């Protein structure tokens, strides 16, 4: 059977040196000066590849590294003692990972790869040096942390006040818009590698309730999900249902 969604183009095998970084050519990210680029390159300690389903940061161990995701999808999560998991946020290219632990007395979360991911690594113990010597880049990191906090706030509103259909609608629009912003859309489709369990763990719903809600919204022709690809068929209706009306997404810092 021939499907009507595009084939996934293969991501780069790994990050380039900062002056040849493909993400820095993307208008979704703020430009930096040549001096700032050299500082970021000096701050970077290397690169790392993580296979799908493997930990980027283990929940029960402190990480000496901070990361920028270069390609792929991942998520931050917390696990209760009985094994129940809450997904705190989904992560994709350009997101800065691991900063929360800098201000916590113990390890606060884990990060797991959903697809194969590639990352740029930075030494956590040089973070103050970067803030002190490059206030503008320090502000960029603070901005990224504040954006992450806003996403967590939005997720709290979702879990506390939205019903199941509103939760799913909000999440689908949120992930689609984020992927679209960084150029991941192909003929109206974006890669969507998440299972119903991922969605349930992010929204605080049972797996059965998640399945029923997804099917109902798809029957209403609000979205289409096929072969790991997502297409929003009626953006206005889905946004209205989820009460999700983001302002135009501005270029963001890239560390």
């Amino acid at each position: 059977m021939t499907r009507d969604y595009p084939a996934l183009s293969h991501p780069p095998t790994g990050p380039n040196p900062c002056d040849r970084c493909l993400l820095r050519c993307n208008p979704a990210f703020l430009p930096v000066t040549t001096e700032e680029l050299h500082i970021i390159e000096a701050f970077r300690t290397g690169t790392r590849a993580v296979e799908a389903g493997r930990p980027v940061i283990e929940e029960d161990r402190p990480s000496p590294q901070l990361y920028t995701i270069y390609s792929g999808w991942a998520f931050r999560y917390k696990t209760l003692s009985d094994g129940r998991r809450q997904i705190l946020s989904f992560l994709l290219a350009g997101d800065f990972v691991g900063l929360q632990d800098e201000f916590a007395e113990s390890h606060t979360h884990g990060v797991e790869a959903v697809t194969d991911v590639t990352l740029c690594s930075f030494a956590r113990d040089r973070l103050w040096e970067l803030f002190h010597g490059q206030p503008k880049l320090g502000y960029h990191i603070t901005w990224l942390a504040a954006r992450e906090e806003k996403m967590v706030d939005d997720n709290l509103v979702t879990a506390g006040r939205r019903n199941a259909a509103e939760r799913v609608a909000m999440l689908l629009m949120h992930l689609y818009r984020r992927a679209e912003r960084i150029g991941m859309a192909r003929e109206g489709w974006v890669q969507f590698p998440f299972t119903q369990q991922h969605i349930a763990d992010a929204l605080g719903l049972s797996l059965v309730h998640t399945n029923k809600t997804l099917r109902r919204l798809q029957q209403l022709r609000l979205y289409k999900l096929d072969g790991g690809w997502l297409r929003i068929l009626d953006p206005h209706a889905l946004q209205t249902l989820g009460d999700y009306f983001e302002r135009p997404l501005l270029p963001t810092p890239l560390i």
Side-chain angles (χ1 to χ4, degrees):
M1 180 178 68
T2 301
R3 293 188 175 96
D4 60 350
Y5 54 82
L8 176 62
S9 58
H10 294 289
T13 55
N16 292 312
C18 290
D19 61 353
R20 291 190 284 116
C21 175
L22 297 180
L23 290 182
R24 295 197 181 278
C25 302
N26 191 320
F29 301 107
L30 289 173
V32 295
T33 66
T34 300
E35 179 186 2
E36 289 167 344
L37 198 61
H38 290 159
I39 295 295
I40 293 171
E41 180 73 67
F43 182 40
R44 190 172 78 160
T45 58
T47 62
R48 182 182 172 195
V50 180
E51 295 180 348
R54 302 294 297 170
V56 174
I57 297 175
E58 295 191 44
E59 191 174 12
D60 56 349
R61 295 184 183 178
S63 171
Q65 302 293 324
L66 303 167
Y67 299 102
T68 291
I69 295 181
Y70 181 72
S71 65
W73 284 95
F75 61 86
R76 290 197 312 116
Y77 69 94
K78 284 281 291 180
T79 306
L80 298 179
S81 58
D82 62 2
R84 286 175 295 167
R85 180 179 69 180
Q86 177 68 46
I87 290 179
L88 304 171
S89 61
F90 292 99
L91 307 165
L92 73 170
D95 286 343
F96 194 61
V97 180
L99 188 64
Q100 291 83 358
D101 286 346
E102 185 68 20
F103 307 102
E105 295 180 357
S106 61
H107 205 58
T108 59
H109 65 277
V111 177
E112 182 177 307
V114 181
T115 65
D116 292 349
V117 299
T118 52
L119 309 109
C120 293
S121 306
F122 303 92
R124 180 185 298 279
D125 60 9
R126 294 187 59 200
L127 186 61
W128 171 244
E129 176 187 334
L130 182 70
F131 271 77
H132 185 265
Q134 293 292 323
K136 182 180 175 183
L137 293 178
Y139 175 80
H140 283 177
I141 292 176
T142 303
W143 190 97
L144 290 169
R147 184 187 65 159
E148 180 76 16
E149 182 181 8
K150 178 186 179 301
M151 290 183 191
V152 173
D153 288 349
D154 291 342
N155 292 343
L156 179 60
V157 173
T158 292
R161 293 301 177 186
R162 288 183 170 100
N163 62 36
E166 293 166 346
R167 294 184 198 187
V168 171
M170 189 282 296
L171 183 64
L172 293 178
M173 286 303 310
H174 174 70
L175 294 178
Y176 184 93
R177 293 300 185 208
R178 289 186 65 202
E180 181 184 48
R181 184 186 71 86
I182 63 170
M184 292 176 65
R186 301 289 184 272
E187 301 172 22
W189 297 83
V190 299
Q191 185 189 22
F192 194 84
F194 309 107
T195 66
Q196 291 187 9
Q197 188 65 63
H198 288 128
I199 296 172
D201 288 349
L203 298 179
L205 297 172
S206 71
L207 193 57
V208 172
H209 205 171
T210 299
N211 176 273
K212 289 180 178 179
T213 305
L214 284 167
R215 283 193 288 109
R216 182 157 67 90
L217 297 185
Q218 189 156 11
Q219 289 166 357
L220 292 172
R221 295 193 54 77
L222 298 183
Y223 78 96
K224 185 176 183 180
L225 189 59
D226 191 5
W229 287 83
L230 170 68
R231 186 184 187 101
I232 304 299
L233 300 177
D234 192 337
H236 179 72
L238 204 61
Q239 287 177 160
T240 301
L241 175 61
D243 196 23
Y244 179 85
F245 295 98
E246 284 281 359
R247 293 176 297 176
L249 298 176
L250 300 176
T252 63
L254 177 64
I255 301 300

